[in-house]
Amino acid sequence: AVSILHESPPEPPARLDILAQYGVTIFGAVTTELRLIIANAQQRPLPQLRWTLSAGEVMTAEMAHRWKEFSGCSLLVGYGQSETTTATLTDPDKAPQNGMIGHSLSGNIVTIVNAEGVECAPNERGDIAFSIQDPGLMLGYWNAGAIQMPLRNKQWHIAGDVGYRDEEGALYFVGRDDD
């Protein structure tokens, strides 16, 4: 595997040049970056590109369709935090939906909980939460000589994001709880 890092962000046309020149197969970008590329770069074949992974911002179905039309590759949306690994991922074989961040990846325990730390019913908004049993969850923050982890109901790490899950268990990101 090879990672390509730039000292400063290249302009959108240069980003496509890099993808083509180095035969990039998986490209990671936030929604805003994909929007800039589509608006400012000329569409060209990217035959090596198999997947684009996006996280960090709400993804709309329209933007996912536009990126696939532009790049020729499917867009996967993931969710994770500094305190966790990438814990959810959308299914590339299913139609994109506004705000969908997918299902928990194997071994990760991510759900939606209410203010009391009880799991929400489908389509009920609440806090995106990681079980303390989730193997990708960090141990805590170093504070005053000890590791501390803010938990709700002694079983959930609260992400600080609002979301909901549908009847099939797919998770959706709505926004930050402090916005």
Side-chain angles (χ1 to χ4, degrees):
V2 175
S3 293
I4 299 171
L5 306 173
H6 255 259
E7 285 185 35
S8 61
E11 292 299 315
R15 292 177 200 199
L16 291 185
D17 291 341
I18 291 167
L19 295 178
Q21 179 182 351
Y22 294 101
V24 172
T25 56
I26 301 173
F27 174 48
V30 297
T31 305
T32 300
E33 183 176 2
L34 299 177
R35 201 175 279 115
L36 285 170
I37 291 170
I38 291 170
N40 297 297
Q42 185 175 5
Q43 187 176 5
R44 69 186 82 172
L46 298 168
Q48 302 292 349
L49 192 59
R50 297 183 327 209
W51 306 104
T52 297
L53 174 62
S54 187
E57 293 180 17
V58 174
M59 177 62 65
T60 65
E62 176 196 4
M63 185 64 215
H65 288 298
R66 286 178 58 208
W67 179 252
K68 183 166 185 167
E69 184 179 295
F70 182 87
S71 69
C73 78
S74 293
L75 179 73
L76 301 174
V77 179
Y79 179 84
Q81 298 187 298
S82 300
E83 297 87 351
T84 69
T85 58
T86 298
T88 71
L89 204 57
T90 55
D91 182 341
D93 296 326
K94 292 194 175 186
Q97 295 184 38
N98 291 338
M100 182 186 273
I101 55 175
H103 289 82
S104 295
L105 294 171
S106 181
N108 291 289
I109 306 161
V110 185
T111 193
I112 309 298
V113 299
N114 65 21
E116 291 75 40
V118 176
E119 203 164 350
C120 291
N123 299 311
E124 179 184 347
R125 284 188 181 194
D127 295 310
I128 298 176
F130 292 78
S131 167
I132 61 169
Q133 302 301 316
D134 191 304
L137 181 63
M138 72 174 194
L139 297 176
Y141 297 95
W142 187 255
N143 186 11
I147 294 176
Q148 298 177 353
M149 187 63 165
L151 301 174
R152 182 173 294 163
N153 205 18
K154 297 186 178 177
Q155 62 184 354
W156 301 107
H157 163 68
I158 304 304
D161 294 325
V162 176
Y164 66 94
R165 64 183 165 83
D166 65 19
E167 294 82 8
E168 295 176 8
L171 297 162
Y172 294 78
F173 173 82
V174 175
R176 292 288 300 160
D177 66 2
D178 56 4
D179 282 349

